[in-house]
């Protein structure tokens, strides 16, 4: 991480700088105590956005958090909680492991309670970011005809480019999983999954139907592109997506969905806009067919991992993208053939049916009704 471009943590309308040295040297859960030290100076400034209740004994504030993250607030032998309590002159009550509930902060001084709450939020967000992604928001593009045409694309690539470095059948997307990703989520409790369901329904009621006009959006996937800078060393190849009528309705829709989830904290704010794309080849699939294009570099218990990838030469594939056009007849039964490209698809995306949150580890889908 560059010194002049440190990772930022956004909490309650404020921005905190994350210590890059501590993040790079983080190895084991036992180092939680040292990891906490890197945040002390960043979290000193109190935030007035928290709801602090005055009681007969002083002041009280609660924090909702999944039980999976409690251990990072407690720390090894309870050291992290003790440091928080001593430095903020508060008392912090944390539910027992495996029990869902609220973290309760009490103290004689309002500023101390707010300071403890700010530091806890920083720790929670930091260790949440270290969890593997569990769900993603996406439009699925896996209709039968789309799958058939995608398999034709795969066949063409393997026939004409299989001699290129790194190109083989293992790096192609599963046709049944073709999708447009909106954002990746880490949902650590049933309550967070339910919150996601409710938020999707709210998005539908408040703006999705208005943007779509209550009708499916006709989307064109025209041409392919690669994620990195060198077409000779590609890790992710994707289909470019835009509205067939030239409007920006799909982009507006997904950006507003992303904004809503970022505001709720369910999606970490990294980008202001969604890059509409459908992954067709990904080198992560070599070792893990269920991998996504974006992934965390930490295991579930917070240990740093490294995923080695063997890139492929995509130059010939990029050159040979002028052969056919696909039309998804899910809603329109006529199929139009043209002379567009190996991966030039015209799809009809129904925002009523296709926006889902899908678990990466177990089959779990949340549909708009």
């Amino acid at each position: 991480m560059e010194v002049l471009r440190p990772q930022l943590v956004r909490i309650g309308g404020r921005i905190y700088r994350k210590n890059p040295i501590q993040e790079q040297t983080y190895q084991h859960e036992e180092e939680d105590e040292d990891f906490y030290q890197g945040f002390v100076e960043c979290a000193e400034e109190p935030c007035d956005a928290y709801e602090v209740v005055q009681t007969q004994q002083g002041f009280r504030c609660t924090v909702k958090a999944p039980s999976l993250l409690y251990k990072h607030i407690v720390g090894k032998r309870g050291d992290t909680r003790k440091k928080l309590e001593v430095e903020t002159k508060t008392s912090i009550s944390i539910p027992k492991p495996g029990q869902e509930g609220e973290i309760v902060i009490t103290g004689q001084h309002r500023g101390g309670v707010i300071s403890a709450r700010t530091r806890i939020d920083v720790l929670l967000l930091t260790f949440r970011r270290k969890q593997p992604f569990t769900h993603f928001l996406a439009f699925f593009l896996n209709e039968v005809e789309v799958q058939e045409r995608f398999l034709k694309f795969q066949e063409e690539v393997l026939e004409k480019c299989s001699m290129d470095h790194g190109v083989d059948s293992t790096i192609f997307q599963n046709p049944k999983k073709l999708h447009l990703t909106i954002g990746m989520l880490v949902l650590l409790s049933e309550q967070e999954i339910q919150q996601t369901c409710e938020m999707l329904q709210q998005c539908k009621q408040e703006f999705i139907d208005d943007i779509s006009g209550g009708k499916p959006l006709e989307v064109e996937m025209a041409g392919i592109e690669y994620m990195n800078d060198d077409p000779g060393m590609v890790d992710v190849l994707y289909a470019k997506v835009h509205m067939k009528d030239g409007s920006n309705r799909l982009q507006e829709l997904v950006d507003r969905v992303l904004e809503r989830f970022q505001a709720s904290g369910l999606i970490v704010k990294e980008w202001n806009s969604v890059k509409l794309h459908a992954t067709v080849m990904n080198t992560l699939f070599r070792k893990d067919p269920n991998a996504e294009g974006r992934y965390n570099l930490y295991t579930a218990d917070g240990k740093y991992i490294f995923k080695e990838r063997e890139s492929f030469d995509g130059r010939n594939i990029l050159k040979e993208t002028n052969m056919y056009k696909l039309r998804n007849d899910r809603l329109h039964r006529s199929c139009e053939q043209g002379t567009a490209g190996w991966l030039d698809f015209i799809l009809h995306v129904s925002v009523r049916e296709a926006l889902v949150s899908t678990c990466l580890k177990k089959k779990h889908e949340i549909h708009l009704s």
Side-chain angles (χ1 to χ4, degrees):
M1 183 180 295
E2 297 182 20
V3 175
L4 297 179
R5 293 183 178 180
Q7 185 173 351
L8 302 178
V9 179
R10 301 168 187 266
I11 296 178
R14 294 176 181 271
I15 300 177
Y16 300 92
R17 184 181 67 182
K18 193 172 178 181
N19 190 324
I21 297 177
Q22 292 291 343
E23 180 178 273
Q24 291 175 354
T25 57
Y26 182 83
Q27 295 291 334
H28 304 289
E29 181 182 341
E30 288 76 6
E31 296 175 12
D32 285 357
E33 176 181 342
D34 295 332
F35 191 82
Y36 162 77
Q37 282 294 105
F39 291 99
V40 174
E41 295 182 1
C42 300
E44 283 299 326
E45 187 175 359
C47 178
D48 296 328
Y50 301 132
E51 182 179 349
V52 180
V53 178
Q54 187 168 8
T55 65
Q56 293 181 348
Q57 290 76 30
F59 296 88
R60 181 178 185 272
C61 183
T62 59
V63 185
K64 291 183 179 180
S67 59
L68 185 64
L69 298 181
Y70 292 163
K71 60 184 179 182
H72 299 300
I73 307 302
V74 175
K76 184 181 178 181
R77 297 186 298 274
D79 289 345
T80 300
R81 176 168 59 181
K82 292 176 184 176
K83 281 180 176 290
L84 284 168
E85 290 178 330
V86 170
E87 294 174 2
T88 61
K89 295 181 174 59
T90 60
S91 176
I92 301 173
S93 175
I94 302 175
K96 295 181 180 180
Q99 295 183 356
E100 297 295 336
E102 294 182 330
I103 298 173
V104 180
I105 308 168
T106 57
Q108 295 295 318
H109 305 285
R110 186 175 186 276
V113 172
I114 292 177
S115 178
R117 168 64 190 271
T118 302
R119 298 185 190 192
I120 288 175
D121 278 352
V122 170
L123 288 170
L124 289 173
L125 181 57
T126 298
F127 286 102
R128 176 182 288 275
R129 293 181 70 139
K130 293 183 181 297
Q131 305 303 311
F133 293 121
T134 61
H135 298 70
F136 63 97
L137 294 178
F139 287 106
F140 273 107
L141 309 173
N142 56 359
E143 293 304 311
V144 174
E145 187 178 349
V146 176
Q147 294 184 45
E148 292 174 351
R149 299 290 176 156
F150 177 80
L151 289 173
K152 177 64 175 176
F153 161 75
Q154 179 176 334
E155 180 183 332
E156 294 274 2
V157 170
L158 292 176
E159 179 182 342
K160 299 183 178 183
C161 305
S162 60
M163 298 302 294
D164 294 344
H165 175 76
V167 175
D168 61 53
S169 60
T170 64
I171 62 176
F172 285 86
Q173 174 67 280
N174 184 333
K176 296 180 180 180
K177 297 182 179 181
L178 286 169
H179 62 273
L180 304 181
T181 301
I182 298 175
M184 309 294 290
L185 303 95
V186 175
L187 305 180
L188 303 177
S189 67
E190 289 299 323
Q191 289 82 354
E192 292 185 348
I193 293 176
Q194 182 60 34
Q195 183 183 355
T196 299
C197 294
E198 295 172 355
M199 194 165 301
L200 282 173
Q201 292 295 339
Q202 291 173 4
C203 290
K204 178 180 181 297
Q205 295 169 5
E206 295 177 14
F207 59 83
I208 287 179
D209 286 346
D210 289 339
I211 295 175
S212 66
K215 299 178 181 179
L217 302 177
E218 192 171 17
V219 177
E220 185 172 28
M221 300 168 66
I224 56 178
E225 191 57 84
Y226 54 100
M227 287 290 187
N228 53 307
D229 298 328
D230 184 357
M233 296 288 288
V234 177
D235 285 320
V236 177
L237 199 69
Y238 63 91
K240 296 181 287 187
V241 181
H242 60 271
M243 287 290 295
K244 189 172 185 295
D245 61 10
S247 71
N248 68 340
R249 287 187 296 158
L250 180 61
Q251 187 69 59
E252 179 186 357
L253 189 154
V254 296
D255 284 348
R256 290 187 64 177
V257 170
L258 178 68
E259 182 181 4
R260 180 65 60 86
F261 274 82
Q262 287 176 337
S264 72
L266 291 175
I267 292 181
V268 176
K269 185 175 178 62
E270 294 180 303
W271 318 106
N272 293 323
S273 180
V274 176
K275 182 180 181 63
L276 287 173
H277 70 282
T279 298
V280 295
M281 299 173 70
N282 189 334
T283 55
L284 286 179
F285 297 155
R286 290 192 202 278
K287 296 183 179 180
D288 183 3
N290 295 316
E292 277 298 302
R294 298 174 60 205
Y295 57 95
N296 286 16
L297 293 175
Y298 297 88
T299 60
D301 59 357
K303 293 186 175 70
Y304 182 83
I305 60 175
F306 174 71
K307 289 194 175 183
E308 185 177 357
R309 307 174 70 156
E310 179 189 353
S311 301
F312 67 93
D313 187 344
R315 287 173 292 186
N316 286 329
I317 300 175
L318 291 164
K319 290 177 182 177
E320 297 288 343
T321 53
N322 291 301
M323 295 187 68
Y324 67 78
K325 179 179 287 186
L326 162 75
R327 185 179 185 88
N328 177 1
D329 69 344
R330 172 185 177 192
L331 298 170
H332 296 266
R333 295 301 174 184
S334 61
C335 181
E336 297 181 1
Q337 299 287 345
T339 57
W342 280 4
L343 201 63
D344 281 7
F345 298 168
I346 295 180
L347 310 170
H348 290 86
V349 178
S350 172
V351 295
R352 290 178 177 273
E353 300 174 12
L355 185 60
V356 300
S357 175
T358 303
C359 182
L360 302 178
K361 292 185 177 179
K362 55 186 178 180
K363 198 171 184 62
H364 181 90
E365 296 184 359
I366 305 170
H367 289 264
L368 289 178
S369 59

